[in-house]
Amino acid sequence: MRITIIGSGNVATHFAAAFKNAGHRIVQVYSRHMQHAALLAYHVGAEAIDDLTLVSGETDLFVISIKDEAIGITAEKLAPFNKLIVHTSGATHMEAVQAFTPWAGVFYPLQTLSKTKEVDFRTVPLCIEGADEQITRQLIELAQTISNNVYRVNSAQRKVLHLAAVFACNFPNYLYGVARQLLAENQMDFELLRPLILETAQKVQEYLPGEVQTGPAVRNDHQTMATHLGMLDDKPALKVIYELLSQQIIKNDNDKATG
Amino acid sequence: MRITIIGSGNVATHFAAAFKNAGHRIVQVYSRHMQHAALLAYHVGAEAIDDLTLVSGETDLFVISIKDEAIGITAEKLAPFNKLIVHTSGATHMEAVQAFTPWAGVFYPLQTLSKTKEVDFRTVPLCIEGADEQITRQLIELAQTISNNVYRVNSAQRKVLHLAAVFACNFPNYLYGVARQLLAENQMDFELLRPLILETAQKVQEYLPGEVQTGPAVRNDHQTMATHLGMLDDKPALKVIYELLSQQIIKNDNDKATG
């Protein structure tokens, strides 16, 4: 397939590389900043452009990987080519594209992608939606050329997935940072905690989170929780977070026991 | 070394197996419940006992892996043998043992251990403390026979580690459960989120959490955060958690920018 990448950020970069590696041809890479466009274009053997009026119609698919609020106006500019247009946003309804063309879809990668960290794209769950059954099937087929985890997910479900990803990824990462800070203040290296963090994530690859919950809250160990809260006296925000999350763990466990 | 295991829970089970595999001899396994003692004792070729008066002095080390509040009275009963006694608790001061014997120490495994989930014990960080320099060295040497990650950690530091582990392991696992619940309510399988959870933990094996924070909060994407909060209207506790953690991520990022 001939594919045009609109954007040069984390998601655009990973998609461009994955499509290229799967044997597709990247026609053009667009970015508002020529040097960003040029860098990615160079890596995937495409033409770099920084002006949407230079977009070529000699393509089969436009992949829009830019800020959510710019998806609509970009789709509007690309619609006259009458080619498939997908966005890659978890938080944006398909309607943002479909308002301007019937050839609309979504290609949402449910993974945390950084330019500097390689990821095996075949393991990335791709959540696909198409404006009609034929488009959906075509997009799923394309998705399967780059990932082994392809799911059909509608806009309402994708919105929930995006929220769930904040709880499953962004918030845990913040909490890792809290733990690191506590160690640093007491002359200990973050290295000490890395195996624990990895094992916690590995456990839920096999089990459900509720089956492997550990710690003072699920044991109803009020003495330890009181000690921990005392240690957070000079960190009021962390103290509230500790209390709130512990209460929820205790509550969940009670619900399970009585439910 | 001849080792006696006091306890038959998760930590006792993993220690007994790790010591046995490293070529040490497990003399006895004690549990208040004979069938628990017998099961573990059978696996490691030891004698099972359910009465502390039956403990044999023909050993070199007592490993106490039981509830925190019972460590002291147990150490008191074992002290007359004049053998090394360690506990394995993150939340308990070495003093709980040292009050009764100068041959005191701590062997704290910084990992989430379940009986049913195998773990490569060589990767488990072992935090060692001894009542004096000679005991500390002896315990570190022993620890190195079962783990490649041996650290010298004093009681004050261990207390902080234990708190940090709640933030790095117990709370993230709870949040995985929240994400799972949100998916289940919308007919989606937890399978969709597993690669994201694993990659989030893998990223901080290489990077620091602050370097790889993603999501709406760190992007200052107030529109997405408002949408997410709206979706949590019928889950007040989760809404508060979302708000609080997002505020902290925004604040951290501002501190970094201005600091």
Side-chain angles (χ1 to χ4, degrees):
Chain A
M1 231 173 155
R2 295 172 302 174
I3 298 171
T4 301
I5 305 286
I6 307 295
S8 60
N10 297 338
V11 176
T13 298
H14 281 276
F15 265 124
F19 282 129
K20 171 78 179 173
N21 290 340
H24 301 286
R25 190 182 138 217
I26 312 299
V27 181
Q28 293 180 315
V29 172
Y30 163 84
S31 167
R32 280 181 305 165
H33 306 287
M34 192 40 143
Q35 67 196 85
H36 296 170
L39 184 64
L40 179 52
Y42 173 78
H43 279 295
V44 296
E47 183 194 356
I49 55 172
D50 63 353
D51 182 345
L52 280 178
T53 65
L54 299 177
V55 162
S56 161
E58 297 295 307
T59 190
D60 303 305
L61 171 69
F62 292 104
V63 177
I64 303 182
S65 273
I66 55 177
K67 275 192 198 146
D68 290 353
E69 53 272 28
I71 292 172
I73 53 160
T74 307
E76 186 175 12
K77 286 183 187 156
L78 300 172
F81 291 112
N82 283 320
K83 298 294 163 68
L84 262 172
I85 303 178
V86 299
H87 75 64
T88 63
S89 163
T92 306
H93 203 281
M94 183 168 61
E95 185 59 31
V97 174
Q98 209 179 355
F100 305 105
T101 176
W103 314 106
V106 179
F107 236 83
Y108 171 49
L110 186 55
Q111 187 52 283
T112 168
L113 302 168
S114 315
K115 278 188 202 177
T116 48
K117 166 94 167 60
E118 291 233 14
V119 63
D120 177 4
F121 212 89
R122 297 222 64 86
T123 67
V124 174
L126 290 182
C127 305
I128 304 300
E129 183 177 15
D132 64 31
E133 187 58 29
Q134 198 202 319
I135 294 172
T136 306
R137 284 200 195 157
Q138 194 184 344
L139 291 177
I140 287 178
E141 211 171 288
L142 172 64
Q144 285 168 340
T145 67
I146 57 172
S147 168
N148 297 328
N149 288 323
V150 178
Y151 297 87
R152 189 188 279 238
V153 170
N154 65 36
S155 284
Q157 287 176 317
R158 193 172 58 251
K159 206 172 150 185
V160 174
L161 264 185
H162 190 252
L163 170 62
V166 173
F167 281 96
C169 162
N170 307 148
F171 290 166
N173 186 73
Y174 162 72
L175 295 170
Y176 302 159
V178 170
R180 179 192 168 241
Q181 186 61 33
L182 290 168
L183 262 61
E185 289 169 6
N186 291 275
Q187 293 73 51
M188 288 181 287
D189 198 277
F190 183 56
E191 197 57 37
L192 255 161
L193 281 175
R194 283 186 161 128
L196 176 64
I197 288 171
L198 191 58
E199 175 69 8
T200 304
Q202 275 169 346
K203 263 189 179 173
V204 297
Q205 303 302 306
E206 226 178 299
Y207 296 91
L208 292 176
E211 296 170 339
V212 292
Q213 183 67 55
T214 54
V218 77
R219 286 198 309 271
N220 244 305
D221 178 348
H222 288 279
Q223 197 184 324
T224 298
M225 287 188 275
T227 304
H228 285 171
L229 288 171
M231 293 165 75
L232 295 171
D233 268 338
D234 59 338
K235 299 178 168 64
L238 294 186
K239 194 170 178 175
V240 176
I241 289 170
Y242 186 101
E243 258 180 325
L244 208 56
L245 292 175
S246 296
Q247 281 163 5
Q248 286 296 107
I249 292 170
I250 294 169
K251 191 178 161 298
N252 268 8
D253 204 53
N254 288 348
D255 289 351
K256 229 189 309 181
T258 58
Chain B
M1 230 172 158
R2 296 173 302 174
I3 298 171
T4 301
I5 305 286
I6 308 295
S8 60
N10 296 339
V11 175
T13 299
H14 282 275
F15 264 123
F19 282 129
K20 172 78 179 172
N21 290 340
H24 301 286
R25 190 181 137 217
I26 311 299
V27 181
Q28 292 179 317
V29 172
Y30 163 84
S31 168
R32 280 180 304 165
H33 307 287
M34 192 40 143
Q35 66 195 87
H36 295 170
L39 183 65
L40 178 54
Y42 173 78
H43 279 294
V44 296
E47 182 193 357
I49 54 173
D50 63 354
D51 182 344
L52 280 177
T53 65
L54 300 177
V55 162
S56 161
E58 296 295 307
T59 190
D60 303 306
L61 170 69
F62 292 104
V63 177
I64 304 183
S65 273
I66 55 177
K67 276 192 198 147
D68 289 354
E69 53 271 30
I71 292 171
I73 53 161
T74 308
E76 187 174 12
K77 287 182 186 155
L78 300 172
F81 291 112
N82 283 320
K83 297 293 164 68
L84 262 173
I85 305 178
V86 298
H87 74 65
T88 63
S89 162
T92 306
H93 203 281
M94 182 169 62
E95 185 59 29
V97 174
Q98 208 178 357
F100 305 104
T101 175
W103 314 106
V106 179
F107 236 83
Y108 170 49
L110 185 56
Q111 188 52 283
T112 168
L113 302 168
S114 316
K115 277 187 200 175
T116 49
K117 167 95 166 61
E118 291 233 13
V119 62
D120 176 5
F121 211 89
R122 297 222 65 87
T123 69
V124 174
L126 289 181
C127 305
I128 305 300
E129 183 176 16
D132 63 31
E133 187 59 29
Q134 199 202 319
I135 293 173
T136 305
R137 285 203 194 154
Q138 195 183 345
L139 291 177
I140 286 177
E141 211 172 289
L142 173 64
Q144 285 167 341
T145 67
I146 56 172
S147 168
N148 296 329
N149 288 323
V150 177
Y151 297 86
R152 187 188 281 237
V153 169
N154 65 37
S155 285
Q157 287 176 317
R158 194 172 57 252
K159 206 171 149 186
V160 174
L161 265 185
H162 190 253
L163 170 61
V166 173
F167 281 97
C169 162
N170 308 149
F171 289 165
N173 186 72
Y174 161 71
L175 295 171
Y176 302 159
V178 170
R180 180 192 166 240
Q181 186 61 33
L182 290 169
L183 262 61
E185 289 169 7
N186 291 274
Q187 293 73 52
M188 288 181 287
D189 199 276
F190 183 55
E191 195 59 36
L192 254 162
L193 280 175
R194 284 185 161 129
L196 176 65
I197 288 171
L198 191 58
E199 175 69 9
T200 304
Q202 274 170 345
K203 263 190 180 173
V204 298
Q205 303 302 305
E206 226 178 298
Y207 296 91
L208 293 175
E211 296 170 338
V212 291
Q213 184 67 54
T214 54
V218 78
R219 287 197 309 269
N220 246 304
D221 179 348
H222 288 279
Q223 195 184 323
T224 298
M225 286 188 275
T227 304
H228 285 172
L229 288 170
M231 293 166 75
L232 295 171
D233 268 338
D234 59 338
K235 299 180 166 66
L238 294 186
K239 194 170 177 173
V240 176
I241 289 170
Y242 186 101
E243 256 180 326
L244 208 56
L245 293 176
S246 296
Q247 281 163 5
Q248 286 296 107
I249 292 171
I250 294 169
K251 191 178 161 299
N252 268 9
D253 204 53
N254 288 347
D255 289 353
K256 229 188 308 179
T258 59

